[in-house]
Amino acid sequence: MSAAFPGDHPNCSMILCGPLKDHVMTFLHYLKSCPPSAVRSLILQKKPSIRNMSSTAGDLGLRPASVVVLHRSLAPAFEKFCQANSGPLPLLGRSEPGKWTLPTLGTAPDTRTGRPQFQKYEFGACTGSLASLEKYSEQLKDMVTFFLGCSFSLEGALEKVGLPRRDPAGHVGAYKTAVPCVHVAGFCCPLVVTMRPIPKDKLERLMQASCSTVGQPIHIGDPELLGIKDLSKPDYGDPVVCQPGDVPVFWPSQLTGLEAVSSCKTPLAFTSAPGCTVMTDLKDMESPANRLTPEGIPEVHLISQDPLHYSITSASAARKIRELETIIAVDPGNRGIGHLLCKDELLRASLSLSHARSVLITTGFPTHFKHEPPEETDGPPGAIALATFLQALEKGVSMIVDQRALSLFKKLVEEAVEQGVMKTQTPILTYQGGSAEAAQAFLCENRDPKSPRFDHLVAIERTGRAADGGHYNARKMNVKHLVDPIDDLFLAAQKIPGISSTGVGDGGNELGMGKVKEAVKRHIRNGDVIACDVEADFAVIAGVSNWGGYALACALYILNSCEVHERYLRKAVGPSRAPGEQNWAQALPSITKEENMLGILVRHKVRSGVSGIVGMEVDGLPFHSTHTQIIQKLLDVTSVSM
């Protein structure tokens, strides 16, 4: 065991051992018997002290805090700024003008002559580092001190899961991001984050430890997704080096406060210097330790390899989505789809979609090639249900269909809006390219693979290209002559960083099912011929593909109603959404809306996939006995999460 005492330099410490170590241990036992106010007095003294002993302070009921000192006229706006961005700036308290201590700070000494170093700001520029603010006593009479919670206790959480400390020589680095904080009055700045490299097999344990103490991370994965170009060049402090197998994990940093002070360009302000804190027994009333229950501890799931990106959601939300996956996995046609199931594909697909900004959805399987139209009733309802909910989440949504079927799908969407199935129309596109270059040009702005137009492609009951280039229905009939090369877009997306894909199918011959093609060949009738060879990142298997579209919409509702996931999405900046605030329930699929949608298809002579009947059935299954039960079960699970 060791203890760190600061020397003349704020980042200097000594490791104690032998007889001196014994004296320190005796002193630490003495400190634990003292009231917090007495310990705080020692910590804040100007002479060398035990400041920086975060683990000992934690045992004593103390926590580190940084300070921001502003003119009283700016205090109301800065307080609102902290409240609007409570992730990086958890406000523990503020003083009255001219007073440096809060009533709850007991007998803590005046920190104007305290040990922690300060930075001085004039008109937005840092103009010096100070060991004392003593000579600014007159100016301080009109200034207010804010105490902000710090993330320095993160190292303790890492030790709890058996991760060795990798502290750099100075203080751990922090990075400015491209994520804007919510603006309040003159306070306008980017989020600042701190990073720790975590072995990927320790991520789950880290969640349990950190979320119960210092709060959940705001990003796990590629730093460029936050706008950070080089981890070896932090904006503050010193870098922590990633080892092979490590995943960068980012937490919000109180150094965001320095950026906020700089942004307001006030004539005079002071802040704690990076790496310097005071110790206080103030508590953040909304701290994660007070809010999280075991059900709220996040699960971590990989949603992208390029760029590397993990997402999180609460254990309870994940459990609900797994229930949805079980509901849609029933096999009413006895096709053997149970052999195609991959665990948590629905969960990971919905997590990826939740992070997406712009989604491209395709559907259309011309299985009835002797009829006009040749489409079937499975696919369009699920695609429109998903598009409707994505619209409610304010994401960009487009659909892409065969040129041959463009007029039909425009009418379907128009009537879906008229019937209240959709709120607004979505653009309907076509693609008839035919080369890898054309596909990339279609998916990217100005043909630039670094600027994709869409970040997620979804295929719901869309005919998929087989290994021989054909497009086969379940009876091995090739319908390639009715199909545009939309498969090429999914193939191109595999080579464009930042675009993910999901395929929803019920027989293995649908676009995206290449991910499970070996199982299709072994277990599905005619699988050796009909199996789709084009894979998606996520393969959602359902008894009827429409059910997969409904389940994705329900899963997105569950995720975006989950406090853990919602905070991760907004990077802990901005206000959290109040339950029901967005009124998303109206955008969910319902028995009434899906009955109306199927009625629209029937009026346009679209046929059931199995029977070929023009009527209220999908894949030969009657709507009012089979499909209504599945829809209601999905909604029952979803409503429990509300």
Side-chain angles (χ1 to χ4, degrees):
M1 182 174 179
S2 64
F5 280 67
D8 293 334
H9 189 277
N11 294 321
C12 179
S13 65
M14 297 186 297
I15 303 300
L16 305 179
C17 58
L20 184 55
K21 174 182 174 183
D22 295 335
H23 288 301
V24 171
M25 292 303 300
T26 301
F27 180 57
L28 294 181
H29 288 303
Y30 163 73
L31 285 180
K32 291 184 178 182
S33 68
C34 294
S37 59
V39 177
R40 190 170 50 251
S41 296
L42 286 169
I43 292 174
L44 293 176
Q45 287 174 12
K46 185 176 181 181
K47 60 188 178 183
S49 63
I50 59 167
R51 183 178 58 83
N52 290 343
M53 294 175 58
S54 59
S55 60
T56 303
D59 293 340
L60 297 166
L62 303 178
R63 63 176 296 177
S66 63
V67 297
V68 170
V69 187
L70 295 165
H71 190 269
R72 65 196 304 170
S73 64
L74 296 173
F78 187 71
E79 183 169 352
K80 290 179 181 178
F81 181 76
C82 292
Q83 292 168 346
N85 300 283
S86 59
L89 302 172
L91 184 59
L92 305 182
R94 51 169 283 185
S95 73
E96 294 300 319
K99 296 183 179 180
W100 278 69
T101 58
L102 298 162
T104 53
L105 283 176
T107 60
D110 192 326
T111 53
R112 277 175 287 191
T113 57
R115 179 70 177 170
Q117 287 195 337
F118 300 95
Q119 290 190 157
K120 177 184 176 183
Y121 285 83
E122 296 176 285
F123 299 100
C126 180
T127 56
S129 181
L130 308 168
S132 169
L133 302 183
E134 203 165 14
K135 68 178 183 179
Y136 296 97
S137 295
E138 282 302 312
Q139 294 94 324
L140 291 169
K141 290 178 181 179
D142 287 324
M143 303 185 85
V144 174
T145 305
F146 291 86
F147 293 82
L148 305 171
C150 293
S151 59
F152 294 160
S153 55
L154 189 54
E155 307 307 329
L158 300 182
E159 290 178 342
K160 283 185 179 180
V161 297
L163 294 173
R165 297 175 71 110
R166 298 190 202 169
D167 297 3
H171 66 84
V172 175
Y175 305 83
K176 298 178 189 178
T177 71
V179 179
C181 289
V182 172
H183 302 174
V184 175
F187 295 100
C188 169
C189 72
L191 171 69
V192 178
V193 296
T194 184
M195 186 279 293
R196 302 295 188 280
I198 307 298
K200 61 182 178 181
D201 61 346
K202 297 286 179 61
L203 286 174
E204 286 285 357
R205 291 174 59 195
L206 173 70
M207 289 298 104
Q208 298 172 10
S210 69
C211 291
S212 62
T213 53
V214 296
Q216 71 184 54
I218 56 92
H219 178 65
I220 305 173
D222 192 333
E224 288 206 21
L225 293 174
L226 294 176
I228 300 170
K229 300 298 183 183
D230 189 347
L231 285 178
S232 69
K233 298 178 180 178
D235 296 288
Y236 299 93
D238 303 289
V240 180
V241 179
C242 288
Q243 304 293 339
D246 283 345
V247 176
V249 181
F250 298 85
W251 281 264
S253 170
Q254 79 286 349
L255 294 178
T256 304
L258 277 63
E259 295 295 314
V261 169
S262 180
S263 72
C264 75
K265 302 189 184 305
T266 182
L268 182 65
F270 304 99
T271 69
S272 299
C276 295
T277 64
V278 297
M279 301 305 297
T280 171
D281 55 9
L282 289 171
K283 296 289 191 295
D284 178 3
M285 295 307 293
E286 296 185 2
S287 66
N290 293 332
R291 289 191 281 111
L292 284 182
T293 63
E295 286 289 285
I297 296 296
E299 289 190 10
V300 187
H301 293 274
L302 178 66
I303 60 172
S304 172
Q305 285 282 9
D306 187 14
L308 184 66
H309 194 191
Y310 290 78
S311 188
I312 66 176
T313 189
S314 68
S316 58
R319 188 180 69 249
K320 295 299 178 186
I321 294 173
R322 291 183 180 111
E323 289 182 37
L324 300 179
E325 190 170 56
T326 299
I327 290 169
I328 66 173
V330 297
D331 189 3
N334 295 317
R335 299 179 183 180
I337 65 168
H339 298 288
L340 312 184
L341 296 174
C342 301
K343 182 183 178 182
D344 285 344
E345 290 289 279
L346 178 65
L347 175 58
R348 295 193 300 124
S350 56
L351 283 168
S352 179
L353 278 167
S354 188
H355 285 271
R357 296 180 302 276
S358 181
V359 181
L360 182 65
I361 302 174
T362 186
T363 189
F365 204 127
T367 188
H368 301 297
F369 55 91
K370 293 183 179 180
H371 297 274
E372 181 57 38
E375 271 66 35
E376 61 168 305
T377 52
D378 192 17
I384 287 175
L386 176 58
T388 299
F389 199 80
L390 290 169
Q391 287 177 339
L393 294 178
E394 300 182 348
K395 299 183 184 297
V397 188
S398 301
M399 294 181 66
I400 185 165
V401 300
D402 296 313
Q403 178 68 41
R404 167 195 54 75
L406 179 60
S407 176
L408 170 65
F409 275 92
K410 284 185 174 180
K411 292 176 182 177
L412 295 180
V413 169
E414 288 173 5
E415 293 181 30
V417 173
E418 292 171 2
Q419 294 280 330
V421 178
M422 298 185 81
K423 188 173 182 180
T424 58
Q425 292 190 35
T426 186
I428 303 179
L429 313 176
T430 62
Y431 172 75
Q432 296 176 291
S435 69
E437 293 75 17
Q440 178 173 296
F442 181 90
L443 292 174
C444 301
E445 299 284 357
N446 300 318
R447 300 175 177 265
D448 182 3
K450 294 183 179 180
S451 302
R453 295 171 61 194
F454 313 98
D455 40 24
H456 203 116
L457 312 183
V458 182
I460 300 179
E461 191 64 19
R462 167 70 190 179
T463 173
R465 184 183 299 156
D468 65 359
H471 286 255
Y472 297 95
N473 65 14
R475 295 179 293 278
K476 297 195 296 185
M477 302 303 297
N478 193 345
V479 295
K480 180 180 179 180
H481 61 290
L482 297 173
V483 175
D484 291 340
I486 293 174
D487 300 68
D488 289 347
L489 300 178
F490 280 67
L491 291 170
Q494 296 171 6
K495 300 178 181 179
I496 301 174
I499 304 182
S500 299
S501 59
T502 295
V504 180
D506 56 19
N509 55 345
E510 301 88 2
L511 179 54
M513 295 297 107
K515 185 172 183 179
V516 293
K517 64 184 177 182
E518 296 307 320
V520 173
K521 292 175 182 178
R522 289 194 303 270
H523 300 289
I524 301 298
R525 183 184 177 188
N526 299 325
D528 57 329
V529 174
I530 70 172
C532 176
D533 197 52
V534 180
E535 67 179 78
D537 295 312
F538 313 106
V540 176
I541 310 300
V544 175
S545 293
N546 282 342
W547 302 348
Y550 305 154
L552 281 169
C554 290
L556 285 167
Y557 181 96
I558 292 170
L559 288 175
N560 284 268
S561 301
C562 167
E563 181 181 2
V564 169
H565 183 69
E566 185 267 342
R567 183 182 187 273
Y568 191 76
L569 282 179
R570 60 182 171 86
K571 306 293 187 288
V573 297
S576 59
R577 292 187 294 259
E581 179 182 321
Q582 306 296 327
N583 206 19
W584 291 325
Q586 294 181 4
L588 285 170
S590 69
I591 290 174
T592 299
K593 289 200 292 184
E594 298 317 311
E595 182 177 23
N596 289 342
M597 189 67 238
L598 186 54
I600 293 170
L601 288 164
V602 170
R603 285 195 294 276
H604 287 278
K605 308 299 183 184
V606 179
R607 299 169 182 271
S608 172
V610 173
S611 66
I613 292 175
V614 177
M616 296 297 287
E617 69 172 49
V618 180
D619 277 355
L621 304 169
F623 179 80
H624 288 290
S625 59
T626 303
H627 299 284
T628 55
Q629 290 182 16
I630 294 295
I631 295 168
Q632 190 58 54
K633 286 180 179 179
L634 294 174
L635 293 174
D636 288 344
V637 170
T638 305
S639 64
V640 170
S641 73
M642 294 166 60

